[in-house]
Amino acid sequence: MVTGTDSRRRTRANIIEVATRLLREQGAAAVTTRAVAQAAGMQAPTIYRFFEDKDALLDAVAEHVFSIYTAEKALTEAGDDPVADLRAGWDAHIGFGLANGALFGLLTDPARRSPAAEAGMAVLRARVHRVAAAGRLRVPERRAVELVHAAGTGAVLALLAVPPSERDLGLADAMYEAVAHAILTDAPHLPDGDALTVAFRAVVPELPTLTAGERTLLTEWLDRES
């Protein structure tokens, strides 16, 4: 039995799917309420029953597509090499951005706060944390996350600004190598002092023999050292 709530949910999902297709094929300018309504086989006023305006519809489209991408990233099983997993995440990020140029522009707009984008950042933080715990990180985790995120976003935007036939995809590889050189150590078995401090800092919250106060004090000391 299809209820009114189910019908409304399906109609909203259909509008988002149609708008997503228009965005991918023709860009953000093509996503007008009239165009979406026509492609979805409904009257334009119907759109306004679900979305206040075009910006609200675009927000929903961006959230929908990026939520799927983020969920797939979160379900990817961690491998034995956290550094390789970090690189794989970088490659996936670059690939998603280039395949979804119009959406990427929406997601990187500072004025738009996206729960899906935050979920993606959580995945990145988890990957960086594994690198730190393995003794491969020479900078604090927060700095590493911010550097990877900024470099990845910048690389995609720079490539999107160039016609596809003229893009130098090696730019993204070079950007990753530069960031990796800045944040990673060469070997996990002989970490330098900074990497050892960062690695210890990463596992402090998981030490069961320490009290909460002891973990706090140790964390503060390690923060000063790093």
Side-chain angles (χ1 to χ4, degrees), residues 79-129:
D80 295 331
D81 185 349
V83 173
D85 288 344
L86 184 65
R87 176 57 195 261
W90 170 278
D91 291 339
H93 177 77
I94 300 298
F96 173 84
L98 296 182
N100 299 274
L103 277 171
F104 195 83
L106 295 175
L107 290 165
T108 54
D109 183 348
R112 299 174 185 267
R113 299 190 63 83
S114 166
E118 178 52 38
M121 286 296 293
V123 174
L124 174 58
R125 292 188 194 101
R127 286 179 173 167
V128 170
H129 180 75

Side-chain angles (χ1 to χ4, degrees), residues 41-65:
M42 61 183 64
Q43 298 297 315
T46 303
I47 305 293
Y48 292 108
R49 297 176 189 170
F50 297 88
F51 305 99
E52 181 180 357
D53 52 27
K54 175 182 174 178
D55 284 342
L57 176 56
L58 286 173
D59 283 340
V61 168
E63 194 71 19
H64 168 68
V65 176

Side-chain angles (χ1 to χ4, degrees), residues 128-134 141 197-206 222:
V128 170
H129 180 75
R130 290 186 61 237
V131 174
E141 289 183 49
T197 299
V198 172
F200 194 24
R201 172 68 177 79
V203 300
V204 164
E206 303 167 9
L222 290 170

Side-chain angles (χ1 to χ4, degrees), residues 133-178:
R136 296 294 306 274
L137 205 61
R138 69 169 73 251
V139 300
E141 289 183 49
R142 179 176 176 178
R143 172 62 62 85
V145 169
E146 291 173 347
L147 283 171
V148 173
H149 175 65
T153 299
V156 172
L157 292 177
L159 290 170
L160 289 174
V162 178
S165 61
E166 300 177 17
R167 289 174 186 165
D168 175 12
L169 298 181
L171 172 69
D173 293 332
M175 185 72 81
Y176 179 81
E177 292 303 324

Side-chain angles (χ1 to χ4, degrees), residues 171-193:
L171 172 69
D173 293 332
M175 185 72 81
Y176 179 81
E177 292 303 324
V179 173
H181 179 74
I183 69 174
L184 300 177
T185 61
D186 292 332
H189 57 284
L190 289 174
D192 59 26

